[in-house]
Amino acid sequence: MTSESKLDVVNGHGREESELSYLNGEAASGESVNAAYTVLDDTLKQGNGSISNTMTNAERRTFTDRFSRWKRSPDRDIFSLLVDGNEKRLHGSGRQSGPLLSGTAYCISSCSMILLNKIVLSSYNFNAGISLMFYQNLISTVVVVALVLCRAVSVEKLNWKLIRVWLPVNVIFTGMLVSGMYSLKYINIAMVTILKNMTNILTAIGELYIFRKHQNQKVWTAMFLMIISAVSGGITDLSFDAVGYAWQIMNCVLTASYSLTLRRVMDEAKKSTKSGSLNEVSMVLLNNLLSLPFAIFLIILLGEWEYVINVEVTKLPMFWVVATASGLLGLAISFTSMWFLNQTSPTTYSLVGSLNKIPISIAGLVLFKAPLCLPNCFSILFGLFAGVFFARAKLS
């Protein structure tokens, strides 16, 4: 899967402390609080000293407040009140490092996926993009199934009704991956990144006519800037390839269609499940698993299977290492994007996704030594700026 096919779902996290009362509905009196406090104090004197010495005034007030709202149950005792504060401090430090780790993992997997695909298709001169997509999706399917069997993740049970509902969006998904593969083969990474901005424009237009969602003036200004950067980038591109640009335009149309169609299909798909919901892992499995028959059909129809069998590059062990790594990274993008969304917010996620195009573009230009000129460099930088401006405008 490419980094453009990430699923934008936000699951709320964090705890909410509920108001608890005593059994029989009685409020805790001051005497009962003080009595319990005295018992606990006597207990601590036998161990590490008085509670008066181990707790500050603020902590004593916190303890008294918590105890007044505490509800007795068989699996809890009074000492869990003291431990709870330490646990929250530990969880708080974990939440502080979570966004950094998840964001870093998402950026690394996203950048690496695009670079490895470029290596397989261009450096190894592999002319079977559909076969590469099939192999990557097969790896993703096998890994998800293995995780399900190990009970590491849970997915909805597939049924024919759910599959029939999901098929239209999966056809678009497969076309999106195939067109993305071929565009990456013929165009340098920086220009692919800039041209992908056109997807935002098509999606915004689709939202306007399908969902009647109007954008603010800043968004339309950003889209105008992206059009200018795409046109100027194509004109000044020294490695311009009409076939590659045609594939990329098709990819933009299919990516926007996938995004718009997915919103409606998800609601229908939830009605076709027993639980009435469809989690992110289930959608990842559906997309990858259902794309395999389509890929096999296209491989046979276009005669790619003969090419894959006879081409010399498939006999190189390193080729399979890189291809396998790209497949694993495709799945990693799905999971790290979900992890990052759970740790942060859609605002941070969108901005990081836009800023992530900058290192991808620079790495692509440096590693693959794409021919450049000053006007083309300016167009690329202008397009990157327009992408970031678009993300900010959408969130304003």
Side-chain angles (χ1 to χ4, degrees):
M1 294 176 66
T2 66
S3 59
E4 295 299 322
S5 61
K6 300 180 293 295
L7 301 172
D8 298 335
V9 181
V10 180
N11 296 319
H13 65 284
R15 297 180 178 178
E16 294 183 359
E17 187 177 7
S18 59
E19 295 293 331
L20 299 175
S21 60
Y22 268 29
L23 286 169
N24 303 325
E26 295 180 357
S29 64
E31 289 81 2
S32 61
V33 174
N34 292 331
Y37 190 90
T38 303
V39 172
L40 183 59
D41 191 25
D42 292 339
T43 304
L44 289 177
K45 281 180 180 179
Q46 299 175 9
N48 296 328
S50 171
I51 191 172
S52 301
N53 296 330
T54 58
M55 296 176 67
T56 64
N57 290 333
E59 289 174 332
R60 290 181 64 177
R61 286 194 300 270
T62 302
F63 170 81
T64 303
D65 179 64
R66 286 181 181 173
F67 187 82
S68 67
R69 294 184 282 113
W70 188 257
K71 182 177 182 178
R72 293 176 182 176
S73 61
D75 58 339
R76 290 181 180 177
D77 54 41
I78 191 69
F79 295 100
S80 64
L81 291 172
L82 297 175
V83 176
D84 185 59
N86 292 330
E87 287 182 346
K88 285 188 175 181
R89 282 193 290 272
L90 290 173
H91 292 161
S93 61
R95 284 195 295 268
Q96 290 175 0
S97 60
L100 179 61
L101 291 175
S102 59
T104 303
Y106 164 66
C107 290
I108 291 175
S109 59
S110 178
C111 293
S112 301
M113 172 70 173
I114 294 176
L115 293 174
L116 285 180
N117 276 347
K118 182 68 174 177
I119 290 173
V120 172
L121 295 169
S122 296
S123 299
Y124 283 101
N125 198 28
F126 188 66
N127 294 319
I130 301 173
S131 299
L132 178 60
M133 180 208 71
F134 170 80
Y135 183 66
Q136 291 176 344
N137 291 0
L138 178 63
I139 290 175
S140 297
T141 302
V142 171
V143 172
V144 172
V145 171
L147 291 175
V148 171
L149 294 177
C150 296
R151 297 184 178 179
V153 297
S154 61
V155 297
E156 290 291 331
K157 291 184 178 180
L158 302 184
N159 56 71
W160 284 113
K161 185 178 179 181
L162 176 60
I163 292 174
R164 284 197 302 270
V165 171
W166 200 265
L167 274 177
V169 74
N170 190 257
V171 172
I172 300 174
F173 172 78
T174 304
M176 179 183 72
L177 293 185
V178 172
S179 58
M181 289 286 186
Y182 282 108
S183 66
L184 198 60
K185 175 177 176 57
Y186 295 105
I187 311 176
N188 68 68
I189 292 177
M191 283 308 305
V192 167
T193 304
I194 300 307
L195 292 173
K196 280 183 180 294
N197 283 336
M198 301 300 293
T199 302
N200 297 327
I201 300 172
L202 296 174
T203 303
I205 295 173
E207 288 177 338
L208 177 63
Y209 285 98
I210 298 174
F211 301 105
R212 303 300 177 186
K213 181 180 179 180
H214 295 274
Q215 307 293 343
N216 58 49
Q217 192 63 37
K218 290 182 179 179
V219 171
W220 291 112
T221 302
M223 288 192 288
F224 179 72
L225 295 177
M226 287 189 290
I227 293 174
I228 294 175
S229 67
V231 173
S232 61
I235 294 174
T236 58
D237 187 4
L238 297 179
S239 58
F240 179 86
D241 190 294
V243 175
Y245 273 73
W247 278 114
Q248 185 54 50
I249 293 172
M250 185 185 300
N251 178 257
C252 291
V253 173
L254 290 171
T255 303
S257 302
Y258 175 76
S259 175
L260 296 169
T261 307
L262 185 63
R263 298 184 185 184
R264 290 188 172 182
V265 172
M266 282 177 62
D267 293 333
E268 290 297 321
K270 290 177 181 178
K271 299 176 184 177
S272 304
T273 61
K274 291 184 178 180
S275 65
S277 63
L278 192 66
N279 62 26
E280 298 83 9
V281 181
S282 299
M283 288 187 281
V284 171
L285 179 61
L286 270 171
N287 270 336
N288 287 280
L289 180 62
L290 296 183
S291 68
L292 299 181
F294 291 113
I296 293 174
F297 173 76
L298 292 174
I299 289 170
I300 296 174
L301 180 66
L302 301 177
E304 275 196 7
W305 64 276
E306 293 182 83
Y307 170 82
V308 173
I309 293 174
N310 297 319
V311 71
E312 291 295 323
V313 73
T314 57
K315 298 178 176 63
L316 300 176
M318 196 60 197
F319 169 82
W320 290 106
V321 170
V322 175
T324 302
S326 66
L328 293 174
L329 285 171
L331 184 61
I333 289 172
S334 298
F335 286 109
T336 55
S337 61
M338 285 185 274
W339 180 26
F340 190 34
L341 271 168
N342 287 332
Q343 292 291 329
T344 56
S345 65
T347 301
T348 306
Y349 179 81
S350 298
L351 289 176
V352 170
S354 297
L355 293 172
N356 197 34
K357 293 180 179 180
I358 298 175
I360 293 175
S361 299
I362 295 174
L365 294 174
V366 173
L367 293 177
F368 299 98
K369 299 178 180 179
L372 289 173
C373 62
L374 186 59
N376 190 238
C377 287
F378 177 78
S379 299
I380 292 171
L381 292 174
F382 188 72
L384 294 173
F385 164 77
V388 175
F389 182 69
F390 176 83
R392 293 293 301 272
K394 284 281 286 185
L395 300 170
S396 61

